[in-house]
Amino acid sequence: MSQPGAGSVQFGFGLITCQRYPGDARSDVELYAQALDLAELAEAVGFDSIWVSEHHFVDDAYLPALMPMAAAIAARTTRAAIGTGLVLAPLHDPVRLAEDAAVVDLIAAGRLILGLGLGWREEEFEGFRIPIDSRVERLETAIAVLRQSWGDGSVLGTEGEAYPGMSVTPKPAQPGGPPIWIGALSPPGVRRAGRVADGFMGTEVTPESFGAQVRLAREARAAAGRDPWDLAISLHLPTFAWPGPDAWDLVKEHHHYVGWKYEDMETARGRVGGPVPKPSLTADLEVELRSQIVLGTPDEVVEQVAAYAAAAGGDIHYIARLYWPGMDPGIQDEAIRVFAEEVIPRLR
């Protein structure tokens, strides 16, 4: 396949995490109900996909179980793809993951995208009694076992992880199973995505660094004897489009919380009780955070997203991280509508 010309853009909504923002008085039942309502809204206003994200043992109750949530979203929607961004594959038994993903794909009538990642938090690996230094091997084994499980033959595993040759049923709705995308930051991870996956998911990038990652993934794919352009390219970034001049004022505390929480996960190891308040937002941190979000009026956001699409050099799936823990529900809903009505049509 030759290099395509002008690429097209698809749009995802996420990353649904059901985190409890400090001071939010709603129950977990209410937070999960809102998440499903937002998924339904995102499909109704035109998003192409809806994405969920996984972590474990976090004091703000970060979503730990993606397959049940994906199944619930599948039951509330009819058109949008449902993606995991990401299942931390080394923490899961790959045969059980294959079964769960197959059931979700059947409920969704073939709309599941299975995004996989390595994971990085020692507490999660220790909590599941899995050596963290085995994570690369476990990820690659998981991909092989998933594809065997969804195929017509028996599950035999890999050279280092043999299985007894059982048949896994039922099969997914999609022949051969849902597409497997790998999310990665490091060069080895990006190359792995190009070499063994169906898609690459980037994050924490500029257009320039994202373009370099895409080239690296495609080079690795070509070196493995596969078509470098037969690789789905996606990225997920914090995003907030708003018609007035106050976009930053509306999102900054929530953007601060989401970013800070990833740092706090390490220092909060074993913490019990509800989530603790985040530190105050300093002027220097505010400048840094503004550089990490696709933000502004719809015109400004269109320009920023277009730069990432151009950097990819082909089709791209842009996952707008528009799910903001603790945001006023009215503003949250309106932000989804603004992006769908004033950004998506100009880039699709």
Side-chain angles (χ1 to χ4, degrees), residues 7-340:
S8 63
V9 185
Q10 289 190 304
F11 290 93
F13 164 74
L15 298 172
I16 292 173
T17 61
C18 297
Q19 291 167 270
R20 174 174 301 288
Y21 189 82
D24 191 333
R26 290 177 294 175
S27 68
D28 288 331
V29 169
E30 291 171 309
L31 292 176
Y32 275 73
Q34 184 208 22
L36 294 175
D37 288 344
L38 291 174
E40 193 171 4
L41 172 63
E43 180 184 68
V45 297
F47 281 85
D48 300 296
S49 60
I50 300 154
W51 294 79
V52 294
S53 180
E54 170 186 2
H55 275 298
H56 301 267
F57 320 131
V58 186
D59 62 350
D60 68 356
Y62 198 115
L63 177 61
L66 298 196
M67 291 298 105
M69 193 64 173
I73 294 170
R76 291 278 293 268
T77 57
T78 60
R79 175 191 55 79
I82 300 152
T84 59
L86 304 154
V87 168
L88 305 178
L91 302 180
H92 298 267
D93 180 274
V95 174
R96 184 55 191 267
L97 179 58
E99 292 178 329
D100 288 348
V103 170
V104 172
D105 198 53
L106 290 168
I107 294 170
R111 293 182 285 136
L112 180 64
I113 300 171
L114 192 65
L116 304 179
L118 279 177
W120 51 272
R121 292 182 61 225
E122 290 185 359
E123 183 178 12
E124 291 176 328
F125 283 85
E126 292 174 6
F128 288 107
R129 297 173 293 178
I130 294 168
I132 194 169
D133 59 4
S134 69
R135 59 186 184 149
V136 171
E137 179 183 359
R138 289 178 66 89
L139 173 61
E140 297 213 17
T141 295
I143 293 171
V145 171
L146 287 167
R147 288 181 170 146
Q148 290 176 18
S149 299
W150 298 331
D152 295 330
S154 299
V155 178
L156 301 174
T158 62
E159 183 177 343
E161 186 68 30
Y163 285 81
M166 67 284 193
S167 175
V168 174
T169 57
K171 302 301 182 186
Q174 299 177 77
I180 295 173
W181 295 4
I182 287 180
L185 294 169
S186 69
V190 173
R191 286 193 291 267
R192 183 178 304 111
R195 177 171 54 84
V196 303
D198 303 305
F200 162 65
M201 301 180 68
T203 191
E204 298 181 18
V205 286
T206 63
E208 294 74 22
S209 64
F210 181 57
Q213 288 181 334
V214 171
R215 290 190 293 274
L216 183 61
R218 287 181 173 143
E219 288 168 1
R221 196 170 190 81
R226 306 180 69 183
D227 184 347
W229 294 95
D230 184 23
L231 179 72
I233 301 296
S234 68
L235 79 161
H236 57 90
L237 292 172
T239 303
F240 194 77
W242 198 256
D246 55 345
W248 177 243
D249 291 335
L250 292 172
V251 76
K252 65 181 179 181
E253 294 296 341
H254 310 282
H255 179 39
H256 179 203
Y257 177 77
V258 170
W260 167 77
K261 196 63 197 176
Y262 279 100
E263 301 174 6
D264 181 61
M265 284 181 188
E266 289 302 284
T267 59
R269 182 186 181 93
R271 182 189 294 156
V272 297
V276 301
K278 65 184 184 306
S280 298
L281 184 57
T282 65
D284 288 345
L285 181 56
E286 194 165 341
V287 170
E288 180 182 349
L289 287 171
R290 287 195 71 153
S291 71
Q292 298 169 357
I293 184 172
V294 173
L295 172 82
T297 65
D299 287 346
E300 292 168 331
V301 169
V302 165
E303 183 178 352
Q304 293 168 67
V305 175
Y308 284 100
D315 296 347
I316 185 175
H317 201 123
Y318 182 86
I319 301 163
R321 283 167 50 183
L322 279 162
Y323 178 87
W324 295 107
M327 180 173 281
D328 176 271
I331 296 174
Q332 171 75 91
D333 289 1
E334 186 61 20
I336 292 172
R337 295 182 185 277
V338 168
F339 190 90

